[in-house]
Coordinates of all heavy atoms in Angstrom, one line a residue:
H584 N 124.9 72.1 96.0 CA 125.9 71.9 94.9 C 125.2 71.5 93.6 O 125.9 71.4 92.6 CB 126.9 70.8 95.3 CG 127.8 71.2 96.4 ND1 128.9 72.0 96.2 CD2 127.9 70.8 97.7 CE1 129.6 72.2 97.3 NE2 129.0 71.4 98.2
V706 N 133.3 92.2 106.0 CA 132.9 91.1 105.2 C 133.9 91.0 104.0 O 134.2 89.9 103.6 CB 131.5 91.3 104.8 CG1 131.1 90.2 103.7 CG2 130.6 91.1 106.0
A749 N 127.9 116.4 96.4 CA 126.6 116.9 96.3 C 126.3 117.8 97.5 O 125.7 118.8 97.4 CB 125.6 115.7 96.4
T818 N 116.4 109.6 104.6 CA 115.0 109.2 104.5 C 114.6 108.2 105.5 O 113.9 107.3 105.3 CB 114.8 108.6 103.1 OG1 115.7 107.5 102.9 CG2 115.0 109.7 102.0
F842 N 113.7 105.4 92.6 CA 113.3 104.6 91.4 C 112.0 103.9 91.7 O 111.7 103.6 92.9 CB 114.3 103.6 91.0 CG 115.6 104.2 90.4 CD1 116.7 104.4 91.3 CD2 115.7 104.4 89.1 CE1 117.8 105.0 90.7 CE2 116.8 104.9 88.5 CZ 117.9 105.2 89.4
Q966 N 103.2 117.2 105.4 CA 102.8 116.3 104.3 C 103.2 114.9 104.7 O 104.2 114.3 104.1 CB 103.3 116.7 103.0 CG 102.9 118.1 102.5 CD 103.5 118.5 101.2 OE1 103.7 117.6 100.3 NE2 103.7 119.8 101.0
I1002 N 121.2 132.5 106.8 CA 122.6 132.9 106.6 C 123.4 132.2 107.6 O 123.2 132.2 108.8 CB 122.7 134.5 106.8 CG1 121.9 135.2 105.7 CG2 124.2 134.9 106.7 CD1 121.9 136.7 105.9
F1137 N 163.6 165.4 74.0 CA 164.2 166.6 73.5 C 163.7 167.9 74.0 O 164.4 168.8 74.4 CB 164.1 166.5 71.9 CG 164.6 167.8 71.2 CD1 166.0 167.9 71.1 CD2 163.8 168.7 70.7 CE1 166.5 169.1 70.5 CE2 164.3 169.9 70.1 CZ 165.6 170.0 70.0

Side-chain angles (χ1 to χ4, degrees):
H584 289 287
V706 170
T818 57
F842 290 91
Q966 300 181 29
I1002 298 175
F1137 175 74

